[in-house]
Amino acid sequence: MKYYILFGPPGAGKGTQASAMVEKYNLRHLSTGELLRKEIAEGTELGKKAKSLIDAGALVPDEVVEGMIDNAFKTTEGVAGFLLDGFPRTIAQAEALDTMLAASGEAVTSVISIMIPDEMIKERIRHRASIEGRADDAREETINNRISTYHEKTEPLVDFYRKAGKYVEIDGTGTIEEVRQAIFNAMD
Ligand code: AP5
Ligand code: MG
């Protein structure tokens, strides 16, 4: 099985690019953000606990998302692998992922990182807020917290995966089609 990580700051275009990637490479898309929003929409206990953290632009606890991912890995039928979007987001999550995969003799295949500057993050999220109505896109304060959480807790993963020789960076500032082509080139 292939285990790709789609990495990048909020609004970089992970969700946008994921759909083309899963189709071309026959992967299952696993977005922890989407899984959490589904829990919130369904009003589950987990969703209730996650909501206040997500609305504040903070991360939910590592164990929560690790459990979701571990569970999703059990269904491998009909796909060539997984595309992880928004996971891992901390060094602890990356280490837990390595442990989970090693237990079945697997490993992360590569990390595709879509990079955009902070100012563009805000533009993209503002644009999406006018279309999708995501609760964590609504307030400037939440967006700023998401950006600082990214720099503080998630960006250290760049070095983590660079050292592992698995990190591929894509310029995310072009059009959706340009970024998609750059990702396909890197994956091929
Ligand atoms: P999550 O849902 O993962 O949000 P995120 O990382 O902040 O990323 P986004 O979904 O906002 O951005 P994206 O990169 O998918 O961009 P998109 O393609 O939509 O997480 C939400 C929250 O859940 C977190 O804050 C946290 O609380 C919690 N959470 C999730 N995972 C967690 C974890 N592992 N650990 C702990 N907590 C976790 O694009 C954005 C917009 O730009 C769209 O409108 C799109 O159309 C547009 N766009 C995209 N590409 C381009 C382009 N090239 N040119 C112009 N416009 C573009
Ligand atoms: Mg997304």
Side-chain angles (χ1 to χ4, degrees):
M1 295 289 282
K2 301 281 189 195
Y3 293 88
Y4 292 104
I5 295 170
L6 190 52
F7 185 84
K14 301 183 293 294
T16 304
Q17 300 298 340
S19 21
M21 294 167 77
V22 294
E23 200 179 313
K24 184 163 197 270
Y25 300 99
N26 186 29
L27 306 169
R28 178 162 295 131
H29 181 203
L30 289 182
S31 158
T32 39
E34 276 174 23
L35 292 171
L36 289 165
R37 283 188 288 279
K38 188 160 171 272
E39 297 279 342
I40 294 173
E42 288 169 357
T44 65
E45 276 312 305
L46 196 162
K48 281 177 200 154
K49 283 186 198 139
K51 186 172 168 31
S52 56
L53 291 164
I54 293 177
D55 287 353
L59 296 179
V60 306
D62 290 333
E63 315 80 73
V64 170
V65 282
E66 287 162 13
M68 289 177 145
I69 292 289
D70 202 18
N71 201 35
F73 280 165
K74 290 180 184 132
T75 319
T76 55
E77 218 175 306
V79 289
F82 293 90
L83 181 62
L84 304 178
D85 160 357
F87 179 90
R89 245 176 160 96
T90 61
I91 296 282
Q93 289 177 21
E95 288 170 348
L97 174 62
D98 282 346
T99 307
M100 265 181 238
L101 294 178
S104 49
E106 303 276 7
V108 169
T109 307
S110 64
V111 179
I112 310 286
S113 170
I114 309 179
M115 274 303 149
I116 60 169
D118 287 4
E119 272 320 300
M120 193 173 267
I121 297 178
K122 294 194 177 183
E123 270 169 43
R124 296 256 179 102
I125 290 181
R126 240 179 262 132
H127 166 77
R128 188 177 58 197
S130 67
I131 301 169
E132 282 184 29
R134 244 172 76 169
D136 60 345
D137 286 350
R139 290 166 51 234
E140 191 72 21
E141 195 191 341
T142 306
I143 298 167
N144 286 335
N145 282 342
R146 285 163 66 195
I147 294 173
S148 50
T149 301
Y150 165 78
H151 287 302
E152 189 189 322
K153 307 225 165 105
T154 306
E155 211 168 31
L157 290 174
V158 171
D159 254 4
F160 181 92
Y161 286 114
R162 222 178 234 143
K163 282 186 187 130
K166 297 193 171 173
Y167 184 81
V168 183
E169 194 165 293
I170 306 283
D171 176 5
T173 62
T175 64
I176 290 175
E177 292 70 28
E178 284 165 351
V179 176
R180 184 174 57 217
Q181 200 49 58
I183 292 174
F184 285 174
N185 291 347
M187 288 178 80
D188 290 342

